Amino acid sequence: MSLLQLDGVTVAYRGVPAVRNLSLTVAEGETVCLIGSNGAGKSSTLKAALGLVPVAGGSIHFMGRAIHGQRTESIVGMGIGVAPEGRRVFPGLTVLENLKVGHRAGAGTLRERLDEVYELFPKLAQRKSQMGWSLSGGEQQMLTIGRAMMGKPRLLILDEPSLGLAPLVSADVFRAIAAIGARGTAVLVVEQNAKIALSASARGYVLETGSMVLEGESAVLESDPKVMSAFLGEA
Ligand SMILES: Nc1ncnc2c1ncn2[C@@H]1O[C@H](COP(=O)(O)OP(=O)(O)OP(=O)(O)O)[C@@H](O)[C@H]1O
Ligand SMILES: [Mg+2]
């Protein structure tokens, strides 16, 4: 059984479809990426799964239960951690306070979760008393992911974690994402940077103007010239 399953999902804004008939699965413990260029419908797909935008068609299941049409709060409460686009940390809270916000009942003790997050992101441990606003872009991204991991999710959803980061910093962030996957958390990562997303995932889906055009094992997609030429003109 899939942990997350989207079947024929359509998302429309004022009647104009942004995502058409999209199907996607993430198995328990699997790392999957959804890649596509600007405006392809990646965030809309995630928002539909999280109940942040209504689905105009299709169905969405998490752990076998239908979640389409449900409230975001109850969907994430089932065990989904979210690192949204644009790394929204609380600027006026310290790193530690930001992390505490992500802790939830049933996720084990605060100490256990902090130990895990600090192990994944040693920089956050060094900066635990520093204010959110004073962090670098990469550190803010780490904090956003760390906060999502504080709830001990079964599925971690990330929207463009590499956005606006230098290549070396993106590589750091994706190393942590791979480590999260290796420890057994399922991961669905949305990215414009196809190369880095495919390198950190087992399977991938390629979205183009609202439609899924390719899917397969990441290793196969990585060497597919159609994939690389579709992004940033990379060959
Ligand atoms: N709230 C909205 N109202 C109207 N149109 C929207 C809304 N949100 C997104 N869209 C449109 O839906 C399409 C898909 O947008 P979406 O944000 O899902 O793309 P994306 O793949 O995440 O792009 P990016 O890489 O730039 O984040 C775009 O054409 C966008 O303009
Ligand atoms: Mg987006």
Side-chain angles (χ1 to χ4, degrees):
M1 186 184 75
S2 299
L3 184 63
L4 178 70
Q5 182 160 359
L6 276 65
D7 288 296
V9 168
T10 294
V11 178
Y13 298 105
R14 282 176 296 260
V16 182
V19 174
R20 276 179 232 92
N21 194 27
L22 177 146
S23 297
L24 165 161
T25 63
V26 182
E28 190 86 55
E30 188 185 30
T31 297
V32 172
C33 69
L34 175 62
I35 53 184
S37 46
N38 270 135
K42 305 179 300 296
S43 296
S44 298
T45 302
L46 295 186
K47 285 177 184 164
L50 294 168
L52 290 166
V53 296
V55 289
S59 66
I60 306 174
H61 290 78
F62 183 66
M63 288 164 53
R65 294 186 2 224
I67 57 169
H68 47 274
Q70 285 198 27
R71 285 172 40 238
T72 301
E73 240 177 78
S74 48
I75 294 171
V76 297
M78 291 170 75
I80 302 180
V82 187
E85 197 172 4
R87 357 179 235 273
R88 277 175 247 139
V89 306
F90 297 105
L93 298 183
T94 64
V95 167
L96 176 60
E97 287 163 348
N98 265 279
L99 290 175
K100 281 182 178 170
V101 170
H103 187 238
R104 62 182 181 89
T109 66
L110 184 63
R111 189 69 261 159
E112 285 168 354
R113 292 285 72 75
L114 283 173
D115 285 347
E116 185 189 48
V117 169
Y118 289 156
E119 210 179 303
L120 286 164
F121 302 106
K123 272 199 180 145
L124 293 183
Q126 289 164 21
R127 301 196 179 345
K128 61 185 169 212
S129 307
Q130 209 169 306
M131 300 298 274
W133 61 263
S134 70
L135 299 176
S136 71
E139 289 160 358
Q140 286 188 25
Q141 184 59 61
M142 290 170 196
L143 181 53
T144 304
I145 300 171
R147 191 175 61 202
M149 289 307 290
M150 288 296 289
K152 205 182 183 189
R154 289 175 88 109
L155 172 67
L156 174 66
I157 288 182
L158 306 129
D159 195 350
E160 300 211 38
S162 84
L163 194 69
L165 302 183
L168 281 175
V169 182
S170 296
D172 263 356
V173 167
F174 267 85
R175 253 191 297 280
I177 294 170
I180 289 167
R183 289 163 182 228
T185 306
V187 177
L188 175 60
V189 57
V190 151
E191 260 299 336
Q192 277 192 54
N193 186 331
K195 220 172 188 165
I196 200 163
L198 288 168
S199 72
S201 57
R203 282 193 310 117
Y205 293 87
V206 183
L207 195 55
E208 234 176 72
T209 53
S211 299
M212 209 71 101
V213 291
L214 272 174
E215 64 175 276
E217 285 177 25
S218 296
V220 176
L221 292 179
E222 253 175 320
S223 55
D224 188 327
K226 283 201 295 287
V227 176
M228 289 308 158
S229 64
F231 296 97
L232 311 167
E234 278 181 56

